Amino acid sequence: MPLVAAIYLAFGSALAQEAQAPPAQTANQTPVLDTITVTAQKRTEDVQKVPISIQVLGKEKLDELDLKNFQDYAAYVPALSFDTGEGGGSVPYMRGVASGENSNHSGPQPSVGVYFDEQPTTTIGGVLDIHLYDIDHVEALAGPQGTLYGASSQAGTLRIITRKPDKEAFSAGYAFGLNTLTGGDDGFVAEGFVNVPIGKNAAVRVVAWDKKDAGYVDNKPATRTFPTWDADSGGNGTITNVGTVAEDNYNDIFTRGARAALKFDFMENWSITPMVMYQKTDSYGNFAGDDHLGDYIVNKYYPESAHEDWTSAALTVEGKIGNFDLTYAYSHLRREIDSEFDYSDYSFWYDSLDGSGAYFYDDSGAIVNPSQIIIGNDAYTKQSHELRIASPDDEALRFVAGVFFQKQTHDILQQYKVIGDLATPLEVTGWPDTIWLTNQGRRDTDEAAFGELSYDFNEKWTGTVGARYFRYDNSLRGFFGYSAGYSSNYGEALCFNDMPYHGAPCVNIDSVVKKSDTIFRGNLTYHIDENKLVYGTWSEGFRPGGLNRNGTVGPYLPDYLTNWELGWKTTWQDNRLAFNGAVFQENWDDIQYSFLPPSGSGLTVIRNAGNARVRGLEMDLSWAATYNLRLNGGMAFYDAELTKEYCGFSDLAGNPVTACPPGTVNPNDPTDPDDDEIVDGPQAPVGTRLPVTPRFKANGTARYAFDIGSLESYVQGSLVHVGSRPAALTREDLAAFGDLDSYTQVDFSFGVRRNNWALDFFLKNAFDEHSEQTRFAQCATDTCGFQSYTVHGAPRSIGVRFSQEF
């Protein structure tokens, strides 16, 4: 059976090679693997000749597996893990380099870089989830890519490569799909493209899409009684969601967008390609289930939604100066997210446990509803320039070198509003009913010069060295905190500049961090023959240091990742079988970790959390077993743990403390700056397993093609397995959240094709596995951990798609 064979062969990695897609059963043709070209090393190369760990999902595989977004394709890249917040956004991690941090809007830069063609699209707080249609392929580069890709490629890089305008011929296509979820709602997708030549030297390509992801989380009717409010307001301390936001399948997502690119060839070897893309996503409800109620059930009392729209513009100029390739890439990204979330857990649990944490009153002194909502606006811009030159790739000595500049801005507005009519002295000045305000501007500037030099010592041995000099200048300015009438530790009481900041009453944080450094890479490759190679790599990656939005806490340091890797790329059976893999060890120093301090301000703090080591094995296999049967799969094993304990605080000089036996004094307790804290040992001791990434992840696919009369047909089965993994890093969080269970998801599909049209049927998550992806609480574990939430993968879905290309 094809699926049984896939499970036997598979376990793992996304496919570094794809078998040639058979149009129908053909008797005397020899099955072979397609040649897949990538630009991972800033050159166009056969993926089997590139001595790095890279998995590729080509256009055919994206269509065959019906992969439309980040979470879809992440399942087929074993090196790639992710966690998902209550709003549905995902943060990527690679090779176990994950601390399980709070992915706050003002957290560290991501450790995985995401590129759309030449354009960096990585922004703080999560991946830009680009809808995948008319995509040539997706590249996943595992391990540090710092020399060629910079700061946010510390642990790896994802590259989404589009299909380019083609001046040779007109083409067009479209697809319509419908699906329904078990116990959930219905969804749809409509997408299309057109490619139009313009004269002999130019072409334009336009793509558009409209999609609804069906909801499956039920917000059930419920009531909640606040003990303090109830006692002091004469029994009025009960809130309800009946008739307001209670609704089944309330977490729908609506996505629509378009992309247009023009390619113009001029002179003999030059081209210019401008591209613009827009996408708008409206998501409603919550994507997590309350652990006390069920996998897909919550009790939320106030509306929740996130409205994201972004526009990107890019310009790529390519040409030759003599035999040298010159590339200039410019990009500009504007992204804005408006959101609102129910934050009533915070008030309820502080009230229930402390008896006073939600004691709010109005101007007459009457107790009011203490529930809170968060109204947010995150506005990002990102501008980058890269200029690079590459020498001819057929020379024994060759190089790639370039310069890079990037400027990111992030304007942060987070308004914590009390539902009741809050007394004027408790409000942040100028912000009615707002108990807490974050209104800050973050500016991150990066400059770099990079290069790699390769030399063929002979036809067997090739050596490569690379380096990247970088310099960053990051600043944070604005306001955070309470009114002066509510707290003397945060907010207006800390103001040192009385000039209003974008509507905030004053400035109470204005800080800058700067640093420059150089990272390196070395590679030695041995070509066994023209179809097989082995390589050894030593490489470094980094993330810049930065500033805490809590101005009472010092900055955090950059963290570095050092990788030692031994890998192989091999093709066998006259290009019918490809078997690749790598073993590696990565050392992660001064881990950047963001968290909510216990019983404190509820304000995320970023610390450097000791050191860790990740050891791993990755393998992938592609086999054109017969002309009709293709098998793909692989596996990944990871052993990731702390090698220096995480204490959770710094010394008076700002350096992270990495030894803290019971009785150690923390002189910088952010929850009580006036009182030194005696700790009872490290928050995470040596040997603590890093969260998010399983010890074992696997996937496999089997596809069998056959004829039904004049129809070209296929059946396909695919499997994804993810092992159990810790939900958090620290002792306290682990006690509250434990491990996320392992899961195995199986998908089936069947389709027919004739001439230029195709009809496909999909059964996804066939056995209705409720996969656990993330577990969290709304505030500090010692308070809100009593009410934890788990984000589960979507239930079983049945879908159909009709597509046609001209």
Side-chain angles (χ1 to χ4, degrees), residues 479-490:
F479 175 87
F480 71 100
Y482 302 106
S483 69
Y486 187 77
S487 172
S488 60
N489 293 328
Y490 298 99

Side-chain angles (χ1 to χ4, degrees), residues 181-197:
L181 298 177
T182 299
D185 204 354
D186 300 328
F188 68 84
V189 61
E191 46 199 7
F193 80 90
V194 61
N195 180 92
V196 181

Side-chain angles (χ1 to χ4, degrees), residues 121-321:
T121 61
T122 314
T123 59
I124 299 157
V127 64
L128 196 67
D129 200 356
I130 299 166
H131 178 74
L132 299 182
Y133 179 68
D134 200 45
I135 300 298
D136 187 79
H137 65 274
V138 175
E139 302 174 6
L141 287 62
Q145 308 296 325
T147 52
L148 289 181
Y149 291 99
S152 287
S153 292
Q154 178 192 44
T157 299
L158 299 171
R159 305 184 70 235
I160 301 170
I161 309 300
T162 63
R163 296 174 72 186
K164 302 301 188 292
D166 180 6
K167 66 182 181 181
E168 298 301 322
F170 171 86
S171 60
Y174 65 91
F176 295 106
L178 297 171
N179 64 82
T180 186
L181 298 177
T182 299
D185 204 354
D186 300 328
F188 68 84
V189 61
E191 46 199 7
F193 80 90
V194 61
N195 180 92
V196 181
I198 303 174
K200 296 181 179 180
N201 297 320
V204 63
R205 195 176 193 97
V206 179
V207 186
W209 55 90
D210 190 5
K211 179 186 177 188
K212 175 194 174 185
D213 291 317
Y216 50 86
V217 175
D218 297 336
N219 187 14
K220 292 297 186 180
T223 59
R224 167 177 274 175
T225 300
F226 287 76
T228 300
W229 182 32
D230 191 64
D232 292 339
S233 62
N236 295 320
T238 300
I239 61 173
T240 178
N241 64 4
V242 177
T244 54
V245 293
E247 179 187 351
D248 287 348
N249 308 321
Y250 87 136
N251 62 322
D252 294 326
I253 305 177
F254 297 87
T255 303
R256 61 206 62 84
R259 181 175 81 242
L262 169 70
K263 185 175 183 182
F264 175 65
D265 296 335
F266 62 99
M267 300 173 62
E268 185 176 354
N269 295 306
W270 287 82
S271 69
I272 181 169
T273 307
M275 183 185 70
V276 63
M277 180 165 54
Y278 172 80
Q279 182 170 293
K280 180 176 177 58
T281 302
D282 297 305
S283 62
Y284 298 92
N286 197 291
F287 290 76
D290 188 321
D291 291 334
H292 298 91
L293 299 177
D295 290 351
Y296 301 123
I297 302 173
V298 291
N299 294 149
K300 292 291 185 176
Y301 299 88
Y302 302 98
E304 298 187 300
S305 64
H307 305 278
E308 174 189 13
D309 72 84
W310 52 264
T311 303
S312 71
L315 176 69
T316 303
V317 181
E318 299 172 289
K320 284 185 175 292
I321 299 178

